Amino acid sequence: MRRFVNVLFLALGACMPEQESTSTNERSPIEGTWQLLSAENITGEDTVFTDYTKGMKGIKMINQNYFAFFQHDLNKGTDSLNTKYGSGSGSYSYMDGHYIENLEYCTARQWEGNTFEFELTIKGDTLIQEGKERIEELGVDRIIRETYVKLK
């Protein structure tokens, strides 16, 4: 009887149409943990360059569906940088270099609920993110260019 049941299940399995897998094991090249090296903020004619390798550290983590970033100064808010701590997270979409962040959580609460569009370029272990940040209510209208290196 047991043998008959096993044969029956094998036969039924052979008759069932093959299903396509909805997920792939391939990871997007943007997935991973990235360390922020530098940022340029361009507002009108003014450009502010920040070197995140001196006195500060920034990390961006990207998985299949969400991104998160964390930034802080390395002196625990006790020096002239007074950057202390900032973070944010949310969902994103990415296709052919076009990256859209939906900022759902942020220590700067007035930034929450905004969407930002960027172009990403990956060269080896370096990711360059460039786009426009615009929040009318806050008077924010600038181009940002951030450079990251992938952490192993």
Side-chain angles (χ1 to χ4, degrees):
M1 180 65 154
R2 184 179 228 195
R3 187 175 199 169
F4 173 75
V5 171
N6 287 341
V7 170
L8 179 62
F9 279 121
L10 284 173
L12 286 174
C15 294
M16 304 226 11
E18 190 173 321
Q19 295 182 1
E20 285 187 39
S21 173
T22 57
S23 66
T24 66
N25 289 336
E26 264 187 61
R27 290 179 55 177
S28 170
I30 69 169
E31 287 182 42
T33 302
W34 301 86
Q35 184 172 344
L36 182 60
L37 299 178
S38 65
E40 285 180 90
N41 291 321
I42 305 163
T43 306
E45 300 292 317
D46 297 325
T47 299
V48 175
F49 178 83
T50 305
D51 182 348
Y52 280 90
T53 63
K54 295 183 178 159
M56 294 185 283
K57 190 167 188 177
I59 298 291
K60 184 171 211 162
M61 298 167 64
I62 303 172
N63 68 23
Q64 288 179 339
N65 302 306
Y66 293 94
F67 73 94
F69 63 86
F70 314 91
Q71 296 174 350
H72 71 135
D73 66 277
L74 300 178
N75 294 312
K76 299 183 182 189
T78 60
D79 64 6
S80 63
L81 293 174
N82 202 21
T83 308
K84 295 184 181 153
Y85 176 81
S87 65
S89 178
S91 61
Y92 76 90
S93 62
Y94 176 74
M95 180 171 282
D96 298 327
H98 191 71
Y99 175 69
I100 301 173
E101 290 184 345
N102 304 299
L103 190 57
E104 298 170 33
Y105 307 97
C106 190
T107 50
R109 301 298 295 266
Q110 63 274 30
W111 284 64
E112 290 180 349
N114 286 287
T115 299
F116 304 97
E117 296 189 32
F118 303 98
E119 295 301 318
L120 299 185
T121 305
I122 298 176
K123 297 177 184 174
D125 65 351
T126 302
L127 180 143
I128 299 169
Q129 175 178 318
E130 184 171 351
K132 191 166 195 151
E133 289 181 334
R134 185 163 195 229
I135 306 174
E136 257 183 78
E137 311 83 67
L138 300 177
V140 175
D141 188 6
R142 64 186 176 200
I143 295 171
I144 66 165
R145 183 178 305 118
E146 297 174 325
T147 303
Y148 296 86
V149 65
K150 192 165 198 171
L151 298 178
K152 307 287 183 206

